[in-house]
Amino acid sequence: MPTPHEAEKQHTGPEEADRPPSMSSHDAAPSGPPSRNPCCLCWCCCCSCSWNQERQRAWQASRESKLQPLPSCEACTPPSPEEVQSWAQSFDKLMHSPTGRSVFRAFLRTEYSEENMLFWLACEELKAEANQHVVDEKARLIYEDYVSILSPKEVSLDSRVREGINRKMQEPSPHTFDDAQLQIYTLMHRDSYPRFLTSPAYRSLLLQGAPQSSSEA
């Protein structure tokens, strides 16, 4: 007959055999499934990878440095009476004048349509760009800011022009938005320009120039 000590060993033996081996804190297995690196398993644009973060920083820098808004009208050189009068001769003369564009932009702001001028200026800047990498970045910014239906600054474009932009955005070029720019230019010419010529802001500029021109005469 086994002694009490031997009986105790025989009783506790199976429990020890069934008990899993203990592991140190360094050898402990993770409690959940292994983490996945989204960059290795998918190419979605929403993954939080370093490449996407770098691209977002580049776009933000482009917004701050490449598409700077024009200075306000007060910061521009005061126009001569002759220049102010020339703005009433044609819309082209108004748009070719830096001061005229600034004054007209201030007027558009009062009508809550300043985005039309900003879009037109951004397209002009894009057409002057030769570096393809910069063209790609600026084209994306213009699309996000003025063409996307999610943007608060979306400009009014018809479906034909939008479809054309969507096709061209696959391979952006300096002329990706030419049709849209012409459509917005025509809209400003036909809709906003006549009201600008009768606005208090433009009439005030005409009156400011009248005494100067008479005194010079």
Side-chain angles (χ1 to χ4, degrees):
M1 177 178 295
T3 64
H5 178 69
E6 292 174 344
E8 181 180 356
K9 291 177 63 178
Q10 291 176 359
H11 178 71
T12 58
E15 292 182 357
E16 293 293 339
D18 295 339
R19 184 181 303 168
S22 62
M23 292 184 294
S24 65
S25 60
H26 297 288
D27 298 331
S31 58
S35 61
R36 294 184 176 182
N37 185 349
C39 298
C40 299
L41 300 177
C42 71
W43 290 97
C44 63
C45 61
C46 59
C47 68
S48 58
C49 58
S50 59
W51 176 84
N52 191 57
Q53 293 173 355
E54 288 294 334
R55 186 178 67 171
Q56 292 294 338
R57 281 195 289 267
W59 286 3
Q60 183 63 29
S62 297
R63 291 180 187 275
E64 296 173 355
S65 62
K66 297 173 185 174
L67 294 180
Q68 286 288 347
L70 285 180
S72 62
C73 181
E74 292 78 9
C76 297
T77 303
S80 65
E82 293 76 17
E83 183 179 6
V84 173
Q85 294 172 8
S86 72
W87 299 343
Q89 296 174 8
S90 71
F91 186 59
D92 289 341
K93 289 186 176 181
L94 172 67
M95 293 294 286
H96 277 87
S97 165
T99 306
R101 290 195 301 268
S102 183
V103 174
F104 186 54
R105 174 181 165 183
F107 168 75
L108 293 177
R109 188 181 301 120
T110 65
E111 294 200 333
Y112 304 99
S113 58
E114 183 184 11
E115 66 274 4
N116 290 333
M117 176 64 78
L118 294 177
F119 172 71
W120 187 88
L121 291 170
C123 292
E124 286 293 290
E125 185 177 343
L126 178 65
K127 289 192 292 187
E129 186 57 60
N131 185 300
Q132 185 58 45
H133 175 71
V134 178
V135 167
D136 292 344
E137 291 296 325
K138 287 188 175 183
R140 289 188 179 93
L141 287 173
I142 293 173
Y143 188 93
E144 290 178 357
D145 286 344
Y146 305 109
V147 180
S148 171
I149 60 175
L150 301 178
S151 172
K153 296 185 293 183
E154 177 194 4
V155 296
S156 179
L157 300 171
D158 61 37
S159 59
R160 178 188 62 84
V161 172
R162 286 184 177 276
E163 292 173 359
I165 291 176
N166 290 334
R167 290 193 301 269
K168 294 175 182 177
M169 281 298 294
Q170 297 177 8
E171 295 182 4
S173 76
H175 300 283
T176 294
F177 301 97
D178 281 4
D179 291 342
Q181 186 187 24
L182 177 60
Q183 190 169 96
I184 295 303
Y185 186 91
T186 303
L187 176 64
M188 292 189 295
H189 183 191
R190 295 178 178 177
D191 185 60
S192 303
Y193 177 61
R195 291 196 298 272
F196 168 74
L197 296 180
T198 59
S199 68
Y202 181 65
R203 289 180 176 274
S204 176
L205 288 174
L206 288 175
L207 293 175
Q208 291 176 16
Q212 297 177 3
S213 59
S214 62
S215 60
E216 290 174 357

PDB file of all heavy atoms in Angstrom, residues 16-51:
ATOM      1  N   GLU A  16      -1.091  17.912 -12.898  1.00  0.00           N
ATOM      2  CA  GLU A  16       0.094  18.604 -13.400  1.00  0.00           C
ATOM      3  C   GLU A  16       0.307  18.301 -14.869  1.00  0.00           C
ATOM      4  O   GLU A  16       0.745  19.137 -15.652  1.00  0.00           O
ATOM      5  CB  GLU A  16       1.323  18.182 -12.578  1.00  0.00           C
ATOM      6  CG  GLU A  16       1.308  18.635 -11.138  1.00  0.00           C
ATOM      7  CD  GLU A  16       1.427  20.133 -11.015  1.00  0.00           C
ATOM      8  OE1 GLU A  16       1.911  20.762 -11.969  1.00  0.00           O
ATOM      9  OE2 GLU A  16       0.997  20.686  -9.992  1.00  0.00           O
ATOM     10  N   ALA A  17       0.001  17.049 -15.279  1.00  0.00           N
ATOM     11  CA  ALA A  17       0.203  16.684 -16.678  1.00  0.00           C
ATOM     12  C   ALA A  17      -0.763  17.422 -17.592  1.00  0.00           C
ATOM     13  O   ALA A  17      -0.446  17.735 -18.730  1.00  0.00           O
ATOM     14  CB  ALA A  17       0.037  15.172 -16.830  1.00  0.00           C
ATOM     15  N   ASP A  18      -2.019  17.662 -17.103  1.00  0.00           N
ATOM     16  CA  ASP A  18      -3.014  18.348 -17.931  1.00  0.00           C
ATOM     17  C   ASP A  18      -2.826  19.852 -17.944  1.00  0.00           C
ATOM     18  O   ASP A  18      -3.412  20.541 -18.770  1.00  0.00           O
ATOM     19  CB  ASP A  18      -4.429  18.034 -17.415  1.00  0.00           C
ATOM     20  CG  ASP A  18      -4.741  16.561 -17.578  1.00  0.00           C
ATOM     21  OD1 ASP A  18      -4.068  15.936 -18.414  1.00  0.00           O
ATOM     22  OD2 ASP A  18      -5.633  16.071 -16.851  1.00  0.00           O
ATOM     23  N   ARG A  19      -2.076  20.371 -17.003  1.00  0.00           N
ATOM     24  CA  ARG A  19      -1.922  21.823 -16.903  1.00  0.00           C
ATOM     25  C   ARG A  19      -0.958  22.298 -17.995  1.00  0.00           C
ATOM     26  O   ARG A  19       0.117  21.750 -18.160  1.00  0.00           O
ATOM     27  CB  ARG A  19      -1.412  22.199 -15.530  1.00  0.00           C
ATOM     28  CG  ARG A  19      -1.302  23.704 -15.299  1.00  0.00           C
ATOM     29  CD  ARG A  19      -0.776  23.978 -13.912  1.00  0.00           C
ATOM     30  NE  ARG A  19      -1.648  23.332 -12.917  1.00  0.00           N
ATOM     31  CZ  ARG A  19      -1.292  23.211 -11.641  1.00  0.00           C
ATOM     32  NH1 ARG A  19      -0.110  23.626 -11.227  1.00  0.00           N
ATOM     33  NH2 ARG A  19      -2.128  22.630 -10.783  1.00  0.00           N
ATOM     34  N   PRO A  20      -1.322  23.315 -18.771  1.00  0.00           N
ATOM     35  CA  PRO A  20      -0.419  23.804 -19.824  1.00  0.00           C
ATOM     36  C   PRO A  20       0.820  24.395 -19.209  1.00  0.00           C
ATOM     37  O   PRO A  20       0.795  24.924 -18.101  1.00  0.00           O
ATOM     38  CB  PRO A  20      -1.260  24.877 -20.542  1.00  0.00           C
ATOM     39  CG  PRO A  20      -2.257  25.319 -19.530  1.00  0.00           C
ATOM     40  CD  PRO A  20      -2.566  24.108 -18.687  1.00  0.00           C
ATOM     41  N   PRO A  21       1.919  24.298 -19.937  1.00  0.00           N
ATOM     42  CA  PRO A  21       3.162  24.853 -19.403  1.00  0.00           C
ATOM     43  C   PRO A  21       3.056  26.357 -19.240  1.00  0.00           C
ATOM     44  O   PRO A  21       2.439  27.050 -20.055  1.00  0.00           O
ATOM     45  CB  PRO A  21       4.204  24.475 -20.466  1.00  0.00           C
ATOM     46  CG  PRO A  21       3.418  24.290 -21.716  1.00  0.00           C
ATOM     47  CD  PRO A  21       2.100  23.727 -21.283  1.00  0.00           C
ATOM     48  N   SER A  22       3.618  26.843 -18.155  1.00  0.00           N
ATOM     49  CA  SER A  22       3.573  28.289 -17.897  1.00  0.00           C
ATOM     50  C   SER A  22       4.500  29.004 -18.854  1.00  0.00           C
ATOM     51  O   SER A  22       5.517  28.476 -19.282  1.00  0.00           O
ATOM     52  CB  SER A  22       3.997  28.561 -16.449  1.00  0.00           C
ATOM     53  OG  SER A  22       5.326  28.120 -16.248  1.00  0.00           O
ATOM     54  N   MET A  23       4.105  30.267 -19.201  1.00  0.00           N
ATOM     55  CA  MET A  23       4.913  31.072 -20.111  1.00  0.00           C
ATOM     56  C   MET A  23       5.281  32.363 -19.422  1.00  0.00           C
ATOM     57  O   MET A  23       4.473  32.934 -18.688  1.00  0.00           O
ATOM     58  CB  MET A  23       4.135  31.381 -21.401  1.00  0.00           C
ATOM     59  CG  MET A  23       3.892  30.153 -22.266  1.00  0.00           C
ATOM     60  SD  MET A  23       3.094  30.603 -23.814  1.00  0.00           S
ATOM     61  CE  MET A  23       1.509  31.163 -23.214  1.00  0.00           C
ATOM     62  N   SER A  24       6.443  32.838 -19.705  1.00  0.00           N
ATOM     63  CA  SER A  24       6.875  34.118 -19.154  1.00  0.00           C
ATOM     64  C   SER A  24       6.204  35.246 -19.904  1.00  0.00           C
ATOM     65  O   SER A  24       5.569  35.046 -20.936  1.00  0.00           O
ATOM     66  CB  SER A  24       8.407  34.250 -19.268  1.00  0.00           C
ATOM     67  OG  SER A  24       8.783  34.288 -20.617  1.00  0.00           O
ATOM     68  N   SER A  25       6.367  36.436 -19.376  1.00  0.00           N
ATOM     69  CA  SER A  25       5.749  37.593 -20.034  1.00  0.00           C
ATOM     70  C   SER A  25       6.307  37.806 -21.421  1.00  0.00           C
ATOM     71  O   SER A  25       5.645  38.327 -22.311  1.00  0.00           O
ATOM     72  CB  SER A  25       5.961  38.853 -19.175  1.00  0.00           C
ATOM     73  OG  SER A  25       7.349  39.099 -19.003  1.00  0.00           O
ATOM     74  N   HIS A  26       7.567  37.369 -21.641  1.00  0.00           N
ATOM     75  CA  HIS A  26       8.164  37.559 -22.967  1.00  0.00           C
ATOM     76  C   HIS A  26       7.626  36.557 -23.961  1.00  0.00           C
ATOM     77  O   HIS A  26       7.601  36.798 -25.154  1.00  0.00           O
ATOM     78  CB  HIS A  26       9.693  37.422 -22.879  1.00  0.00           C
ATOM     79  CG  HIS A  26      10.314  38.478 -22.023  1.00  0.00           C
ATOM     80  ND1 HIS A  26      10.412  39.775 -22.422  1.00  0.00           N
ATOM     81  CD2 HIS A  26      10.861  38.419 -20.771  1.00  0.00           C
ATOM     82  CE1 HIS A  26      11.010  40.491 -21.471  1.00  0.00           C
ATOM     83  NE2 HIS A  26      11.292  39.673 -20.462  1.00  0.00           N
ATOM     84  N   ASP A  27       7.199  35.356 -23.471  1.00  0.00           N
ATOM     85  CA  ASP A  27       6.742  34.319 -24.375  1.00  0.00           C
ATOM     86  C   ASP A  27       5.232  34.300 -24.527  1.00  0.00           C
ATOM     87  O   ASP A  27       4.686  33.470 -25.247  1.00  0.00           O
ATOM     88  CB  ASP A  27       7.183  32.938 -23.853  1.00  0.00           C
ATOM     89  CG  ASP A  27       8.704  32.844 -23.786  1.00  0.00           C
ATOM     90  OD1 ASP A  27       9.336  33.525 -24.595  1.00  0.00           O
ATOM     91  OD2 ASP A  27       9.220  32.097 -22.931  1.00  0.00           O
ATOM     92  N   ALA A  28       4.514  35.214 -23.823  1.00  0.00           N
ATOM     93  CA  ALA A  28       3.054  35.166 -23.841  1.00  0.00           C
ATOM     94  C   ALA A  28       2.534  35.434 -25.239  1.00  0.00           C
ATOM     95  O   ALA A  28       3.000  36.329 -25.938  1.00  0.00           O
ATOM     96  CB  ALA A  28       2.492  36.197 -22.864  1.00  0.00           C
ATOM     97  N   ALA A  29       1.544  34.667 -25.665  1.00  0.00           N
ATOM     98  CA  ALA A  29       0.954  34.842 -26.985  1.00  0.00           C
ATOM     99  C   ALA A  29       0.005  36.018 -26.953  1.00  0.00           C
ATOM    100  O   ALA A  29      -0.602  36.315 -25.931  1.00  0.00           O
ATOM    101  CB  ALA A  29       0.202  33.558 -27.380  1.00  0.00           C
ATOM    102  N   PRO A  30      -0.189  36.716 -28.049  1.00  0.00           N
ATOM    103  CA  PRO A  30      -1.133  37.844 -28.077  1.00  0.00           C
ATOM    104  C   PRO A  30      -2.551  37.362 -27.868  1.00  0.00           C
ATOM    105  O   PRO A  30      -2.921  36.268 -28.272  1.00  0.00           O
ATOM    106  CB  PRO A  30      -0.937  38.430 -29.491  1.00  0.00           C
ATOM    107  CG  PRO A  30      -0.349  37.313 -30.293  1.00  0.00           C
ATOM    108  CD  PRO A  30       0.477  36.522 -29.344  1.00  0.00           C
ATOM    109  N   SER A  31      -3.343  38.210 -27.200  1.00  0.00           N
ATOM    110  CA  SER A  31      -4.709  37.826 -26.858  1.00  0.00           C
ATOM    111  C   SER A  31      -5.629  37.859 -28.062  1.00  0.00           C
ATOM    112  O   SER A  31      -6.632  37.172 -28.093  1.00  0.00           O
ATOM    113  CB  SER A  31      -5.258  38.766 -25.770  1.00  0.00           C
ATOM    114  OG  SER A  31      -5.208  40.104 -26.220  1.00  0.00           O
ATOM    115  N   GLY A  32      -5.350  38.679 -29.072  1.00  0.00           N
ATOM    116  CA  GLY A  32      -6.218  38.796 -30.227  1.00  0.00           C
ATOM    117  C   GLY A  32      -5.519  38.348 -31.483  1.00  0.00           C
ATOM    118  O   GLY A  32      -4.378  37.893 -31.458  1.00  0.00           O
ATOM    119  N   PRO A  33      -6.183  38.456 -32.629  1.00  0.00           N
ATOM    120  CA  PRO A  33      -5.564  38.065 -33.896  1.00  0.00           C
ATOM    121  C   PRO A  33      -4.423  38.997 -34.225  1.00  0.00           C
ATOM    122  O   PRO A  33      -4.375  40.132 -33.769  1.00  0.00           O
ATOM    123  CB  PRO A  33      -6.728  38.194 -34.896  1.00  0.00           C
ATOM    124  CG  PRO A  33      -7.636  39.196 -34.276  1.00  0.00           C
ATOM    125  CD  PRO A  33      -7.532  38.967 -32.797  1.00  0.00           C
ATOM    126  N   PRO A  34      -3.459  38.557 -35.021  1.00  0.00           N
ATOM    127  CA  PRO A  34      -2.337  39.409 -35.380  1.00  0.00           C
ATOM    128  C   PRO A  34      -2.800  40.636 -36.137  1.00  0.00           C
ATOM    129  O   PRO A  34      -3.714  40.575 -36.943  1.00  0.00           O
ATOM    130  CB  PRO A  34      -1.459  38.496 -36.258  1.00  0.00           C
ATOM    131  CG  PRO A  34      -2.396  37.452 -36.765  1.00  0.00           C
ATOM    132  CD  PRO A  34      -3.399  37.242 -35.669  1.00  0.00           C
ATOM    133  N   SER A  35      -2.175  41.742 -35.810  1.00  0.00           N
ATOM    134  CA  SER A  35      -2.555  42.994 -36.469  1.00  0.00           C
ATOM    135  C   SER A  35      -2.134  42.963 -37.923  1.00  0.00           C
ATOM    136  O   SER A  35      -1.123  42.383 -38.282  1.00  0.00           O
ATOM    137  CB  SER A  35      -1.878  44.181 -35.768  1.00  0.00           C
ATOM    138  OG  SER A  35      -0.482  44.050 -35.840  1.00  0.00           O
ATOM    139  N   ARG A  36      -2.940  43.641 -38.755  1.00  0.00           N
ATOM    140  CA  ARG A  36      -2.661  43.684 -40.182  1.00  0.00           C
ATOM    141  C   ARG A  36      -2.147  45.064 -40.563  1.00  0.00           C
ATOM    142  O   ARG A  36      -2.630  46.062 -40.081  1.00  0.00           O
ATOM    143  CB  ARG A  36      -3.926  43.367 -40.988  1.00  0.00           C
ATOM    144  CG  ARG A  36      -4.408  41.938 -40.782  1.00  0.00           C
ATOM    145  CD  ARG A  36      -5.595  41.673 -41.682  1.00  0.00           C
ATOM    146  NE  ARG A  36      -6.030  40.291 -41.583  1.00  0.00           N
ATOM    147  CZ  ARG A  36      -7.025  39.791 -42.311  1.00  0.00           C
ATOM    148  NH1 ARG A  36      -7.662  40.557 -43.173  1.00  0.00           N
ATOM    149  NH2 ARG A  36      -7.373  38.535 -42.172  1.00  0.00           N
ATOM    150  N   ASN A  37      -1.228  45.048 -41.442  1.00  0.00           N
ATOM    151  CA  ASN A  37      -0.741  46.311 -41.994  1.00  0.00           C
ATOM    152  C   ASN A  37      -1.553  46.634 -43.229  1.00  0.00           C
ATOM    153  O   ASN A  37      -1.472  45.926 -44.221  1.00  0.00           O
ATOM    154  CB  ASN A  37       0.744  46.158 -42.370  1.00  0.00           C
ATOM    155  CG  ASN A  37       1.341  47.477 -42.840  1.00  0.00           C
ATOM    156  OD1 ASN A  37       0.603  48.425 -43.070  1.00  0.00           O
ATOM    157  ND2 ASN A  37       2.645  47.523 -42.974  1.00  0.00           N
ATOM    158  N   PRO A  38      -2.384  47.676 -43.171  1.00  0.00           N
ATOM    159  CA  PRO A  38      -3.267  47.955 -44.317  1.00  0.00           C
ATOM    160  C   PRO A  38      -2.505  48.223 -45.586  1.00  0.00           C
ATOM    161  O   PRO A  38      -3.009  48.022 -46.678  1.00  0.00           O
ATOM    162  CB  PRO A  38      -4.067  49.191 -43.866  1.00  0.00           C
ATOM    163  CG  PRO A  38      -3.235  49.806 -42.792  1.00  0.00           C
ATOM    164  CD  PRO A  38      -2.518  48.675 -42.124  1.00  0.00           C
ATOM    165  N   CYS A  39      -1.264  48.711 -45.468  1.00  0.00           N
ATOM    166  CA  CYS A  39      -0.519  49.027 -46.677  1.00  0.00           C
ATOM    167  C   CYS A  39      -0.075  47.762 -47.396  1.00  0.00           C
ATOM    168  O   CYS A  39       0.212  47.802 -48.587  1.00  0.00           O
ATOM    169  CB  CYS A  39       0.703  49.858 -46.323  1.00  0.00           C
ATOM    170  SG  CYS A  39       0.283  51.412 -45.571  1.00  0.00           S
ATOM    171  N   CYS A  40       0.035  46.654 -46.672  1.00  0.00           N
ATOM    172  CA  CYS A  40       0.497  45.420 -47.280  1.00  0.00           C
ATOM    173  C   CYS A  40      -0.658  44.604 -47.840  1.00  0.00           C
ATOM    174  O   CYS A  40      -0.439  43.699 -48.641  1.00  0.00           O
ATOM    175  CB  CYS A  40       1.257  44.574 -46.252  1.00  0.00           C
ATOM    176  SG  CYS A  40       2.719  45.409 -45.602  1.00  0.00           S
ATOM    177  N   LEU A  41      -1.872  44.865 -47.386  1.00  0.00           N
ATOM    178  CA  LEU A  41      -2.990  44.026 -47.765  1.00  0.00           C
ATOM    179  C   LEU A  41      -3.986  44.729 -48.664  1.00  0.00           C
ATOM    180  O   LEU A  41      -4.852  44.086 -49.224  1.00  0.00           O
ATOM    181  CB  LEU A  41      -3.705  43.524 -46.510  1.00  0.00           C
ATOM    182  CG  LEU A  41      -2.829  42.688 -45.569  1.00  0.00           C
ATOM    183  CD1 LEU A  41      -3.628  42.307 -44.332  1.00  0.00           C
ATOM    184  CD2 LEU A  41      -2.334  41.428 -46.270  1.00  0.00           C
ATOM    185  N   CYS A  42      -3.919  46.042 -48.775  1.00  0.00           N
ATOM    186  CA  CYS A  42      -4.864  46.734 -49.637  1.00  0.00           C
ATOM    187  C   CYS A  42      -4.225  48.006 -50.172  1.00  0.00           C
ATOM    188  O   CYS A  42      -3.223  48.473 -49.671  1.00  0.00           O
ATOM    189  CB  CYS A  42      -6.161  47.072 -48.886  1.00  0.00           C
ATOM    190  SG  CYS A  42      -5.952  48.362 -47.652  1.00  0.00           S
ATOM    191  N   TRP A  43      -4.845  48.535 -51.202  1.00  0.00           N
ATOM    192  CA  TRP A  43      -4.350  49.777 -51.807  1.00  0.00           C
ATOM    193  C   TRP A  43      -5.403  50.864 -51.732  1.00  0.00           C
ATOM    194  O   TRP A  43      -5.404  51.778 -52.536  1.00  0.00           O
ATOM    195  CB  TRP A  43      -3.978  49.523 -53.273  1.00  0.00           C
ATOM    196  CG  TRP A  43      -2.768  48.677 -53.401  1.00  0.00           C
ATOM    197  CD1 TRP A  43      -2.727  47.339 -53.605  1.00  0.00           C
ATOM    198  CD2 TRP A  43      -1.406  49.104 -53.302  1.00  0.00           C
ATOM    199  NE1 TRP A  43      -1.433  46.917 -53.651  1.00  0.00           N
ATOM    200  CE2 TRP A  43      -0.592  47.969 -53.473  1.00  0.00           C
ATOM    201  CE3 TRP A  43      -0.799  50.337 -53.091  1.00  0.00           C
ATOM    202  CZ2 TRP A  43       0.794  48.028 -53.431  1.00  0.00           C
ATOM    203  CZ3 TRP A  43       0.582  50.390 -53.063  1.00  0.00           C
ATOM    204  CH2 TRP A  43       1.365  49.239 -53.230  1.00  0.00           C
ATOM    205  N   CYS A  44      -6.319  50.775 -50.780  1.00  0.00           N
ATOM    206  CA  CYS A  44      -7.367  51.784 -50.686  1.00  0.00           C
ATOM    207  C   CYS A  44      -6.770  53.107 -50.248  1.00  0.00           C
ATOM    208  O   CYS A  44      -5.817  53.152 -49.487  1.00  0.00           O
ATOM    209  CB  CYS A  44      -8.464  51.344 -49.714  1.00  0.00           C
ATOM    210  SG  CYS A  44      -7.894  51.155 -48.021  1.00  0.00           S
ATOM    211  N   CYS A  45      -7.362  54.195 -50.752  1.00  0.00           N
ATOM    212  CA  CYS A  45      -6.801  55.519 -50.493  1.00  0.00           C
ATOM    213  C   CYS A  45      -7.055  55.979 -49.071  1.00  0.00           C
ATOM    214  O   CYS A  45      -6.530  57.006 -48.652  1.00  0.00           O
ATOM    215  CB  CYS A  45      -7.391  56.539 -51.466  1.00  0.00           C
ATOM    216  SG  CYS A  45      -9.182  56.721 -51.318  1.00  0.00           S
ATOM    217  N   CYS A  46      -7.893  55.256 -48.328  1.00  0.00           N
ATOM    218  CA  CYS A  46      -8.222  55.694 -46.976  1.00  0.00           C
ATOM    219  C   CYS A  46      -7.334  55.051 -45.925  1.00  0.00           C
ATOM    220  O   CYS A  46      -7.531  55.278 -44.744  1.00  0.00           O
ATOM    221  CB  CYS A  46      -9.681  55.404 -46.659  1.00  0.00           C
ATOM    222  SG  CYS A  46     -10.097  53.651 -46.777  1.00  0.00           S
ATOM    223  N   CYS A  47      -6.389  54.217 -46.312  1.00  0.00           N
ATOM    224  CA  CYS A  47      -5.561  53.566 -45.309  1.00  0.00           C
ATOM    225  C   CYS A  47      -4.638  54.583 -44.669  1.00  0.00           C
ATOM    226  O   CYS A  47      -4.212  55.536 -45.295  1.00  0.00           O
ATOM    227  CB  CYS A  47      -4.756  52.426 -45.927  1.00  0.00           C
ATOM    228  SG  CYS A  47      -3.496  52.975 -47.075  1.00  0.00           S
ATOM    229  N   SER A  48      -4.329  54.344 -43.395  1.00  0.00           N
ATOM    230  CA  SER A  48      -3.528  55.311 -42.646  1.00  0.00           C
ATOM    231  C   SER A  48      -2.058  54.964 -42.774  1.00  0.00           C
ATOM    232  O   SER A  48      -1.382  54.714 -41.792  1.00  0.00           O
ATOM    233  CB  SER A  48      -3.947  55.295 -41.178  1.00  0.00           C
ATOM    234  OG  SER A  48      -3.792  53.995 -40.654  1.00  0.00           O
ATOM    235  N   CYS A  49      -1.561  54.915 -43.981  1.00  0.00           N
ATOM    236  CA  CYS A  49      -0.156  54.596 -44.188  1.00  0.00           C
ATOM    237  C   CYS A  49       0.648  55.875 -44.317  1.00  0.00           C
ATOM    238  O   CYS A  49       0.110  56.950 -44.557  1.00  0.00           O
ATOM    239  CB  CYS A  49       0.029  53.737 -45.430  1.00  0.00           C
ATOM    240  SG  CYS A  49      -0.595  54.507 -46.931  1.00  0.00           S
ATOM    241  N   SER A  50       1.934  55.750 -44.197  1.00  0.00           N
ATOM    242  CA  SER A  50       2.788  56.927 -44.242  1.00  0.00           C
ATOM    243  C   SER A  50       2.751  57.582 -45.600  1.00  0.00           C
ATOM    244  O   SER A  50       2.849  58.808 -45.719  1.00  0.00           O
ATOM    245  CB  SER A  50       4.222  56.535 -43.883  1.00  0.00           C
ATOM    246  OG  SER A  50       4.711  55.563 -44.783  1.00  0.00           O
ATOM    247  N   TRP A  51       2.590  56.783 -46.662  1.00  0.00           N
ATOM    248  CA  TRP A  51       2.549  57.381 -48.004  1.00  0.00           C
ATOM    249  C   TRP A  51       1.343  58.291 -48.150  1.00  0.00           C
ATOM    250  O   TRP A  51       1.430  59.391 -48.691  1.00  0.00           O
ATOM    251  CB  TRP A  51       2.486  56.263 -49.047  1.00  0.00           C
ATOM    252  CG  TRP A  51       2.345  56.791 -50.448  1.00  0.00           C
ATOM    253  CD1 TRP A  51       3.323  57.212 -51.287  1.00  0.00           C
ATOM    254  CD2 TRP A  51       1.113  56.966 -51.179  1.00  0.00           C
ATOM    255  NE1 TRP A  51       2.792  57.631 -52.472  1.00  0.00           N
ATOM    256  CE2 TRP A  51       1.445  57.495 -52.443  1.00  0.00           C
ATOM    257  CE3 TRP A  51      -0.223  56.723 -50.869  1.00  0.00           C
ATOM    258  CZ2 TRP A  51       0.481  57.774 -53.387  1.00  0.00           C
ATOM    259  CZ3 TRP A  51      -1.176  57.011 -51.827  1.00  0.00           C
ATOM    260  CH2 TRP A  51      -0.817  57.531 -53.071  1.00  0.00           C
TER     261      TRP A  51
END
